[in-house]
Amino acid sequence: MPESVPGAGYVLGALLVMFVVTVALRAAPFVALSALKHSAVVDFLGRTMPVGVMIILVMYTLRDVGATTWLPATIGLCGTIAMHLWRRNAALSTVAGTGLYLVASAFWG
């Protein structure tokens, strides 16, 4: 075997290190959350982050809406808001709003 090929001990050592790092990284969020379970900051972020993320996504989506595509975007946005206020289901709201946007884009896009 050429000298550039690592030995079995080296390969097993590297695999062991990769295994330990992978398990530690997967366990870290659960350890951190259990330590912060009753934290007021985590509770506040849990209540406010979904709204903040949705606002950022809406702003990102509508930032490049041109003069010809504002109507489909507005119809999709209004449909998403209406469905969410009616059913309080994020997945259903997203699917309905996307569907309305696609249909409106076919007519006005």
Side-chain angles (χ1 to χ4, degrees):
M1 237 187 227
E3 288 183 30
S4 62
V5 176
Y10 181 84
V11 172
L12 288 176
L15 288 173
L16 179 65
V17 169
M18 286 185 266
F19 173 78
V20 169
V21 169
T22 300
V23 170
L25 287 174
R26 291 183 182 250
F30 298 104
V31 172
L33 284 178
S34 67
L36 298 172
K37 193 173 191 174
H38 301 291
S39 170
V41 173
V42 172
D43 184 50
F44 171 75
L45 290 175
R47 284 184 282 112
T48 59
M49 283 298 289
V51 174
V53 168
M54 292 309 290
I55 289 170
I56 290 170
L57 288 173
V58 168
M59 291 171 46
Y60 178 79
T61 301
L62 297 178
R63 80 186 192 294
D64 288 333
V65 173
T68 60
T69 58
W70 67 270
L71 188 59
T74 303
I75 290 171
L77 181 61
C78 291
T80 302
I81 292 169
M83 183 63 73
H84 191 71
L85 291 174
W86 179 44
R87 302 299 295 185
R88 298 278 186 207
N89 185 328
L92 182 62
S93 304
T94 303
V95 169
T98 302
L100 281 172
Y101 173 76
L102 291 175
V103 170
S105 291
F107 288 108
W108 293 289

